[in-house]
Amino acid sequence: MSLKNRNAVITGSTSGIGLAYARALAAEGANVLINGFGKPEDIESERAAIESDFGVSAIYSSADMTKPDQIKAMIDEAVAQLGGVDILINNAGVQFVSPIEEFPIEKWDQILAINLSAAFHAIRAVIPIMKKAGWGRIISTASAHSLVASPFKAAYVSAKHGLAGLTKTAALELATDGITVNCISPGYVWTPLVEHQIPDTMKARGLTREQVIHDVLLDSQPTKEFVTAEQVAAVAVFLCSDAAAQITGTNISVDGGWTAE
Ligand code: NAD
């Protein structure tokens, strides 16, 4: 239980990779604040399962990551209810697939807000708390798309490249404060986010569902397998350990070899 008495805030953790982070940190003894959208009864059962499976405190914030004031309130709530924020995982993210000339402007703004600006607002809010504690771990879920591009994902690729830059900047600013800042860059992980982009990719590229899965998604991954959410979460647990105290400012790929090509 290496993270006993640590308190973690994980944005976008009602589903997919975020939920895997929350459960993996709780399994190590951390109390968690989960966040994101979904049916209230589903969220409540996820929250309650974390408490009963791992014997930690788990609270939920409905903060909308497009709203800076709600992001600050979420961090304040973690401090008030859990007692602090030692670990921040910026994970909320959305995708939209379209050629640039048809890309809806409101989708560009929304993706930049959730996938990039929300991390800035959350990092900004936790820095004084972590500096005071003299310890902190800030992790963001970037993507293989923080390192390479794919057509039709202009907003996502731009936001994720920005997130990798924000990570490096924050790491340098906090290097002597006992706070590490890193991002994890998964390839394709089978989650609702990937599943939901299949119809748009079928439309944008004129392909069948099977062709999108095998010729577009898994085509990028030399291993020809999806990454699992649990494999991504295990990297975050390692980054929170003392063994990772000198790992800061990095972008760790978990992508089946995608960005080696
Ligand atoms: P997901 O759709 O399963 O989860 C996204 C989470 O973000 C959900 O909890 C959702 O409710 C939440 N969310 C969305 N909009 C929000 C908002 N405005 N405010 C608060 N929460 C919001 O997706 P996922 O695949 O688990 O993605 C998680 C992260 O991993 C994202 O940042 C994504 O870009 C990144 N990622 C995913 C993959 C993949 O293949 N699935 C690959 C690389 C990176």
Side-chain angles (χ1 to χ4, degrees), residues 144 147-148 220-222 253 255-261:
L147 297 162
V148 295
S220 320
Q221 273 177 212
S253 293
D255 65 4
W258 175 350
T259 52
E261 288 192 306

Side-chain angles (χ1 to χ4, degrees), residues 12-18 35-37 63-66 91-94 114 141-143 156 160 186-189 191-194:
S13 46
T14 52
S15 151
I17 297 168
N35 156 260
F37 300 148
D64 180 343
M65 292 301 110
T66 64
N91 173 75
V94 291
I114 298 171
T141 313
S143 165
Y156 189 87
K160 295 297 188 181
Y188 282 107
V189 187
T191 67
L193 181 139
V194 167

Side-chain angles (χ1 to χ4, degrees), residues 38-82:
K39 287 194 197 133
E41 59 272 26
D42 293 347
I43 295 171
E44 174 51 23
S45 70
E46 284 164 354
R47 190 204 62 75
I50 292 172
E51 288 198 332
S52 60
D53 291 349
F54 307 115
V56 300
S57 296
I59 60 172
Y60 167 67
S61 162
S62 62
D64 180 343
M65 292 301 110
T66 64
K67 306 270 185 329
D69 55 333
Q70 293 189 23
I71 296 170
K72 174 75 170 74
M74 174 186 70
I75 299 300
D76 290 346
E77 197 183 334
V79 172
Q81 292 200 40
L82 299 177

Side-chain angles (χ1 to χ4, degrees), residues 215-228:
D215 302 345
V216 179
L217 304 182
L218 290 180
D219 184 53
S220 320
Q221 273 177 212
T223 56
K224 302 293 171 210
E225 288 180 26
F226 284 100
V227 177
T228 69

